[in-house]
Amino acid sequence: MKTRITEMFGIEHPIIQGGMHFVGFAEMAAAVSNAGGLGIITGLTQKSPALLANEIARCRDMTDKPFGVNLTFLPTVASPDYPGYVRAIIEGGVKAVETAGNNPVAVLPFFKDAGIKVIHKCTSVRHSLKAQAIGCDAVSVDGFECGGHPGEDDVPNFILLPRAAEELDIPFVASGGMADGRSLVAALALGAEGMNMGTRFIATKEAPVHDNVKRALVAASELDTRLVMRSLRNTERVLNNAAVERLIEKERRLGPDLKFEDIIEEVAGVYPRIMLEGDMDIGAWSCGMVAGLIKDIPTCKELIDRIMAEAEAIIGQRLAGFAKAA
Ligand SMILES: Cc1cc2nc3c(=O)[nH]c(=O)nc-3n(C[C@H](O)[C@H](O)[C@H](O)COP(=O)(O)O)c2cc1C
């Protein structure tokens, strides 16, 4: 399939794997890229620019296809060494960057000079327009369904994507709630030129996470996610578990007085224990409502091939059949 997104990133299928903390290691990115999508290494999971450089080199050993790096701009006081991470990306010869979080305007000139395409992930039309105005090449439009940080507007993709299509000139992918060929066709129908998946890619054979995480996704339904940290204006969609219930109880009790320190035990530094050790109840971890559509643990190639075959069948048979009958 050919879209402005496949052309921009030099990939076979219009499918991107979004950056995911403690999931987006070289193994994940290489598996998605080898299957014809765009795999993304999560920059900040590597604790220093030198470690990111090493992760990029490891990924290059595993694939000769294009892959990208996610750089998330966190609302934290102690800022990571962003200039160092930017250098590691450029010197590593990476040609695609997914930015997320705060506005990436400060790093764009460096990426542009290095010929790197930047896709910024945002959760609203106004942020998408801002990304276009500052010179991003594409946007990933992340609806309310998404795993991770859906923003504070709560607009689901059935509205957000066509609104983005009405306003944007640069191409965009649909992100949040995407799982299969139906998702891809719907995304294309609503104006996107591809899709970005997070949660679905965790339940694959190559995802370098503990089997408990994959099993939890297969077991979960679309009713099993919760929104946390709303009062801190840092809303996150996570899979429900004992720690999340504790966190929500604190939110209920403290209301607007809740501070980050009150929930630090449930949210800070929990990812390695969940993703690598499979300690599933230790804290809150991002997960999309799309968990309800995840029923198996295929390889990335099986998943992507299945998505493309299903999408082509829907377009060529089901939809073409309706059009003919009309
Ligand atoms: C476990 C997990 C960790 C994530 N970590 C990040 C991250 O570090 N940076 C980022 O930009 N997005 C992160 N995301 C968001 C994904 O890149 C993607 O936008 C989102 O998962 C799309 O929604 P979906 O899960 O419904 O596919 C994360 C998502 C998950 C599920």
Side-chain angles (χ1 to χ4, degrees):
M1 191 178 279
K2 190 165 143 180
T3 72
R4 284 201 283 167
I5 288 293
T6 60
E7 297 289 285
M8 180 176 292
F9 294 110
I11 52 178
E12 195 184 341
H13 307 302
I15 299 175
I16 300 178
Q17 164 250 316
M20 287 180 281
H21 199 37
F22 276 91
V23 181
F25 293 100
E27 288 79 2
M28 179 85 262
V32 174
S33 289
N34 281 331
L38 184 70
I40 304 255
I41 294 171
T42 313
L44 296 189
T45 297
Q46 303 301 321
K47 287 299 156 228
S48 69
L51 288 172
L52 176 58
N54 185 55
E55 200 66 10
I56 292 169
R58 284 204 320 117
C59 195
R60 180 137 299 121
D61 283 344
M62 290 183 244
T63 184
D64 52 11
K65 301 267 177 64
F67 62 88
V69 172
N70 167 285
L71 202 50
T72 302
F73 295 99
L74 302 166
T76 49
V77 189
S79 180
D81 176 11
Y82 285 115
Y85 284 103
V86 169
R87 258 195 316 277
I89 291 168
I90 294 172
E91 287 168 9
V94 171
K95 290 294 167 219
V97 166
E98 177 195 52
T99 52
N102 289 344
N103 186 322
V105 67
V107 298
L108 273 186
F110 302 103
F111 290 142
K112 291 240 142 195
D113 284 352
I116 294 172
K117 298 289 181 202
V118 175
I119 180 163
H120 185 60
K121 190 160 54 194
C122 28
T123 57
S124 70
V125 174
R126 69 185 182 286
H127 291 146
S128 303
L129 282 171
K130 184 76 191 172
Q132 173 172 282
I134 63 174
C136 291
D137 299 286
V139 282
S140 195
V141 176
D142 222 11
F144 184 50
E145 307 89 330
C146 75
H149 294 272
E152 310 302 328
D153 290 348
D154 302 356
V155 182
N157 268 334
F158 246 90
I159 308 299
L160 191 58
L161 298 173
R163 280 289 299 121
E166 283 171 8
E167 304 269 351
L168 287 172
D169 298 319
I170 56 173
F172 66 96
V173 296
S175 179
M178 304 287 133
D180 51 32
R182 297 170 300 183
S183 322
L184 179 56
V185 175
L188 298 173
L190 294 172
E193 308 226 6
M195 68 179 180
N196 179 64
M197 300 194 297
T199 305
R200 174 64 267 201
F201 273 124
I202 304 177
T204 58
K205 290 224 162 60
E206 298 95 334
V209 301
H210 198 282
D211 276 348
N212 288 354
V213 181
K214 303 180 189 187
R215 278 197 286 266
L217 289 175
V218 172
S221 88
E222 64 276 20
L223 303 177
D224 291 331
T225 69
R226 298 289 180 271
L227 294 174
V228 296
M229 293 192 284
R230 174 127 277 179
S231 65
L232 300 175
R233 291 192 67 75
N234 187 29
T235 301
E236 183 178 359
R237 186 179 295 285
V238 299
L239 190 67
N240 195 20
N241 62 24
V244 168
E245 281 178 2
R246 213 164 53 232
L247 195 167
I248 290 171
E249 178 48 34
K250 288 184 194 177
E251 291 186 320
R252 250 190 230 120
R253 193 157 27 88
L254 296 169
D257 295 332
L258 181 91
K259 296 193 186 49
F260 184 70
E261 296 74 61
D262 298 318
I263 55 168
I264 208 154
E265 195 190 322
E266 284 81 20
V267 297
V270 297
Y271 269 76
R273 289 184 63 187
I274 294 162
M275 294 299 176
L276 308 180
E277 293 166 33
D279 206 344
M280 299 311 296
D281 277 325
I282 202 73
W285 59 282
S286 296
C287 174
M289 286 178 153
V290 74
L293 297 175
I294 297 176
K295 308 279 185 334
D296 61 357
I297 304 171
T299 66
C300 287
K301 181 156 168 44
E302 284 163 354
L303 176 64
I304 290 182
D305 284 351
R306 185 167 79 195
I307 291 171
M308 294 314 299
E310 196 187 353
E312 274 152 28
I314 293 171
I315 296 167
Q317 294 164 29
R318 189 161 196 270
L319 300 186
F322 290 153
K324 235 181 271 149

